[in-house]
Amino acid sequence: MDTSLKGTLHKRGLRMTPQRQLVLDAVRTLGHATPEQVCTRVQETAPAVNITTVYRTLDLLEELGVVRHAHLGHGAPTYSEHQHRHVHLVCHRCGRVDEAPTELMAEVERRTRSEYGFRLDATHVALSGTCTDCVAEHGAPGDTNDTDDTGDTGESTGEVHAHQHVAAEGDR
């Protein structure tokens, strides 16, 4: 049982229920998951837990700062543990989601702060485009060659990690 969450809930006059623990465990196990995916995982252990309970629990866990959500495209948001921080690179062709370090957004973050006074939360960002596999197979929309106007091939020095999440049909 998550004792820090139990303590946080207790301070707010709430208790740690088995359903809350199952939802948190599912988010931790799945890495990124829609509420429906969390519900499916929870129902493997507790078939009586319904989607409404999962949504309410995810909302509470987010309010408490334990989980966070991101919108990786159309459809339901995906949830992950709060400390799971990276930029999502979402392929709008196949639904693949890659993870890049938040440092990728450092210049955007610096400029939005200095020019607009806006503080960007780069851990809550999803960038849409075309993944390397789809570009290799189909080309990128509007591409006439592999370079942009500056001659840059689009290669980044930031390390990108492939992530197993592929959007379900209803998420696109």
Side-chain angles (χ1 to χ4, degrees):
M1 179 177 292
D2 188 313
T3 56
S4 63
L5 177 58
K6 184 178 178 181
T8 302
L9 288 167
H10 182 70
K11 288 178 193 170
R12 296 190 59 180
L14 302 168
R15 61 188 178 85
M16 183 61 152
T17 64
Q19 294 87 348
R20 289 177 177 152
Q21 185 65 56
L22 287 168
V23 168
L24 180 56
D25 291 345
V27 169
R28 286 178 172 159
T29 300
L30 296 169
H32 291 96
T34 64
E36 291 77 13
Q37 291 167 326
V38 171
C39 188
T40 298
R41 181 66 178 230
V42 167
Q43 287 176 341
E44 290 172 5
T45 306
V49 175
N50 62 39
I51 192 69
T52 303
T53 300
V54 170
Y55 271 103
R56 287 182 183 150
T57 302
L58 288 169
D59 286 346
L60 175 63
L61 293 175
E62 186 165 29
E63 183 183 322
L64 296 174
V66 177
V67 302
R68 61 178 34 231
H69 78 276
H71 295 275
L72 303 183
H74 302 292
T78 62
Y79 288 81
S80 62
E81 284 192 90
H82 193 270
Q83 64 269 24
H84 193 79
R85 297 172 181 267
H86 50 260
V87 175
H88 299 94
L89 307 175
V90 182
C91 181
H92 53 76
R93 183 179 290 272
C94 70
R96 173 174 144 182
V97 179
D98 291 331
E99 300 172 353
T102 57
E103 294 79 26
L104 179 70
M105 300 299 292
E107 180 61 17
V108 173
E109 186 174 6
R110 185 194 66 71
R111 286 191 61 193
T112 58
R113 184 178 296 204
S114 67
E115 295 176 24
Y116 303 99
F118 183 81
R119 295 180 184 260
L120 176 68
D121 177 2
T123 64
H124 202 77
V125 173
L127 301 175
S128 179
T130 309
C131 73
T132 186
D133 292 342
C134 287
V135 168
E137 186 175 339
H138 307 284
D143 274 359
T144 56
N145 59 37
D146 291 334
T147 60
D148 65 16
D149 295 336
T150 65
D152 186 2
T153 61
E155 298 282 329
S156 170
T157 58
E159 185 177 347
V160 175
H161 301 280
H163 183 65
Q164 296 299 321
H165 176 77
V166 175
E169 284 300 316
D171 292 347
R172 290 189 216 155

